[in-house]
Amino acid sequence: MALLVCENASLGYEGTPIVRDLNFTVEAGDYLCVVGENGSGKSTLMKTILGLIPPLSGAIRTGDGLQQTEIGYLPQQTPVQRDFPASVREIVRSGCQGRMGRKPFYGKEEKELAERNIARMGLEALADRCYRELSGGQQQRVLLARALCATRRMLLLDEPVAGLDPKVTAEMYRLIEELNKKDGITVIMISHDLDAALKYADKVLHIGSTVFFGTKEDYLKSKALSGLTQEVAE
Amino acid sequence: MSALWEKLIASLEFPFVQYALIVGTLVALCSSLFGVTLVLKRFSFIGDGLSHVAFGAMAIATVLKLTNEMPLVLLLTVLCAVLLLRTGQNAKIRGDAAVAMISVGALALGYLLMNIFPTSGNLSGDVCSTLFGAFSILTLSPTEVWLSVGLSLLVVGLFVFFYHKIFAVTFDESFARATGVNAAGYNLLIAVIIAVIIVLAMNLVGSLLISALVIFPALSAMRVYKSFLSVTVCAAIVSVVCAVLGMLVAIVADTPVGSTIVAVDIAAFLIFALAGKLKR
C-alpha cells in the first residue's frame, strides 16, 4: 500500500486549475523530487498534499495508516519568522502540537521527542539560543527538527536549500539523505535544483507544460529524448 | 515632596482609587499578554480598528442611556472582530482596507450619534473621555469593576491554557494547519479576546490609546529578550509596572490617567531599546 496516492487530481485556486490530471504514487522509503518551472504549480501541489487547500477534482489520499496531519512539513521561511523572539527549543517543541490534539501543555513524551530531534539535527549547543540570531543553515535545521517532531514517516520539504551557501547546501542534502536512507523516512522534496534532484532522489515528478512521473533513470532517458533539459534550464 | 506623598496616601484610602488600581493592573496584564502575538501576526491594525469600533459602540450605548454600557459595547466589538477576521480572508476587499472602512466609519457615526442625541451638556467632555480615557477608570460602577475583574481573569486563563497553541499559530500558521492544529479556530479566539481586551482597556486609557497599551510593552520586551516565554513574561511585568506607576502619577499630579500611562510606557520602551543596544 502506498503512503500517498494522487489520482487524476486537478489543482489550483478558486476553480482555476494550475495542474490538471496529475497521477503519481509515493511508496514508503521513496525519495521523490518535484521539479518544474516557477508557476508550474509546485507550491499548489504541496499545499494540496498537506490539506491546506482542497483539490479541484480527483483526490490526493494518504494510505498505509499515514494521516495527512502526520506529514512533517519544512516550509519556506516567512518574513514574520525573521524577527520572531523564540528559542530553538520552543520552536522544535511546537512541532508536537499536531499530535497533542486538545492537550494544552507538553508532557514528558513531547519534551523527550523534541530533545531527541534537537540532538538528531546537531542543535544541542544552540537549544536555548534565539532563532532569529542563527545562520540560514542553522534555522533550516531547527525547522527540520520541528518537522521531525510532527512525523515518523514522511517529510515534505519546500525548497530546503533556498538561500543557503554551497557548503551548507551540501550539508543539508546530506542530512536529508541520511534521514531517508538510515531512518527510512519517506521524502518529498520540492526543488529548483535539478542537479541535486538527480543526484539524491530516486523518483522524479516533473510538472508544468509536460508532466513526467517515474524513476530517476527513466527521467534521464526521457530528458535525452524530448529535450526537457532545456525547458527546465529556462 | 512630603506633601505629594501625603496626597498619594490619602487618595489610596478612597475605594474608587483602590478599584481603579485593581482593574488597571489586570487590564494592563491582559493587554500585554496578547501584544506579542498581535505585533508578530501583523494584527496590530485590527486592534486599532476595533478600538474605533468600541468608540462607536460606546456612543450607541450612551445615546440609549444604558446604565451599564459594557455588555453592549463588548457584544458589538466582538461581532466586528469576527467580521474583520472573515473579511481579512476574503480576497475581494483587502483586510487592511476593510479595517480602515469599519474603523473610520464607526468613529464618524459614533460622533454623529452623540451630536444628534446629546445626553449631557458637556458633549466634547464626553467624547474626549471616551477617546482618551481621561478619568473614567476612577468612576467605575461596582458592576463594571466586577465585570472587568472577571473578564480579565478569563483572558489570562485562556492565554495560559492556549499558550502553546497561540505560539504555534503565531510562529508558523501554515505549519500548524498542516499538522492538524485548528488555526482558523485559534485566530478567531485571538480576535475575540483582543476585542474583549479593547473594551476592558477603554476605561483605562480610552479608545484611541488602547493600541499603545497593547503594543508598547511587547515591543519593549522584544528589544531585550530572546525567547517567546521570556518576552511574554517581561511584557506583562513592564505593562503592569507602567500602568501602576502611570495611575499613581496621574492621581498625584492630576493628569489624565490614560495618557500618563502611555507616557510611562514610552519611557519604558526607550529604556529597553537602549538596554537592547548596549547588550549587543
Side-chain angles (χ1 to χ4, degrees), chain A residues 90 97-98 101 106 133 146, chain B residues 164-165 172 179 226 228-229:
Chain A
E90 286 177 316
Q97 284 298 335
Y106 298 121
E133 289 169 354
R146 177 183 65 165
Chain B
H164 293 294
K165 307 275 186 225
D172 193 339
T179 52
K226 310 280 178 190
F228 194 68
L229 183 66

Side-chain angles (χ1 to χ4, degrees), chain B residues 2 5 15 25 42 64 75 77 85 96 128 145 186 199 213 239 253 255 269 275 277:
Chain B
S2 69
W5 187 250
T25 306
R42 310 289 193 259
L64 291 176
L75 181 75
T77 315
L85 209 68
D96 45 356
C128 197
V145 170
Y186 289 109
V199 176
L213 203 61
S239 181
T255 51
F269 175 75
K277 280 241 160 63

Side-chain angles (χ1 to χ4, degrees), chain B residues 82-184:
Chain B
V82 176
L83 201 72
L84 281 180
L85 209 68
R86 282 280 148 87
T87 49
Q89 286 150 356
N90 184 339
K92 293 217 177 73
I93 302 179
R94 285 262 330 257
D96 45 356
V99 174
M101 263 169 50
I102 294 184
S103 70
V104 189
L107 262 183
L109 292 181
Y111 187 56
L112 193 62
L113 272 177
M114 286 172 97
N115 264 285
I116 298 175
F117 307 102
T119 47
S120 74
N122 183 8
L123 179 69
S124 53
D126 282 355
V127 172
C128 197
S129 86
T130 320
L131 287 179
F132 294 103
F135 301 96
S136 4
I137 188 83
L138 296 170
T139 58
L140 293 177
S141 71
T143 327
E144 284 172 324
V145 170
W146 287 116
L147 198 58
S148 301
V149 169
L151 284 173
S152 303
L153 294 178
L154 182 71
V155 168
V156 174
L158 284 172
F159 181 80
V160 172
F161 193 76
F162 290 115
Y163 170 80
H164 293 294
K165 307 275 186 225
I166 291 170
F167 172 84
V169 174
T170 311
F171 181 71
D172 193 339
E173 192 175 321
S174 12
F175 179 86
R177 276 174 65 199
T179 52
V181 174
N182 180 4

Side-chain angles (χ1 to χ4, degrees), chain A residues 14 50 52 68-69 71 73 75 79-81 83-87 90-91 94-95 97-98 100-106 130-133 143 146-147 150, chain B residues 36 40-42 91 160-165 167-168 170-181 186 222-231 280:
Chain A
E14 291 173 17
L50 291 169
L52 300 178
Q68 195 167 42
T69 54
I71 301 173
Y73 169 40
V80 173
Q81 290 162 358
D83 46 349
F84 202 99
S87 70
E90 286 177 316
I91 292 171
S94 74
Q97 284 298 335
M100 285 166 57
R102 288 175 189 279
K103 209 172 85 177
F105 303 109
Y106 298 121
C130 178
Y131 176 77
R132 63 183 168 190
E133 289 169 354
L143 296 186
R146 177 183 65 165
Chain B
V36 183
L40 291 168
K41 256 182 151 336
R42 310 289 193 259
V160 172
F161 193 76
F162 290 115
Y163 170 80
H164 293 294
K165 307 275 186 225
F167 172 84
T170 311
F171 181 71
D172 193 339
E173 192 175 321
S174 12
F175 179 86
R177 276 174 65 199
T179 52
V181 174
Y186 289 109
M222 279 165 66
R223 297 296 115 188
V224 173
Y225 287 95
K226 310 280 178 190
S227 77
F228 194 68
L229 183 66
S230 56
V231 166
R280 221 164 280 156

Side-chain angles (χ1 to χ4, degrees), chain A residues 80-142:
Chain A
V80 173
Q81 290 162 358
R82 291 202 190 100
D83 46 349
F84 202 99
S87 70
V88 168
R89 185 172 278 120
E90 286 177 316
I91 292 171
V92 175
R93 280 183 182 174
S94 74
C96 300
Q97 284 298 335
R99 71 176 64 218
M100 285 166 57
R102 288 175 189 279
K103 209 172 85 177
F105 303 109
Y106 298 121
K108 205 175 157 206
E109 194 187 329
E110 285 90 17
K111 285 178 181 164
E112 281 172 5
L113 180 65
E115 293 309 312
R116 270 206 304 283
N117 286 321
I118 286 173
R120 207 167 171 185
M121 291 293 114
L123 295 165
E124 295 101 324
L126 303 173
D128 292 313
R129 286 275 302 277
C130 178
Y131 176 77
R132 63 183 168 190
E133 289 169 354
L134 303 182
S135 72
Q138 290 167 333
Q139 291 184 337
Q140 282 301 75
R141 280 192 285 151
V142 173

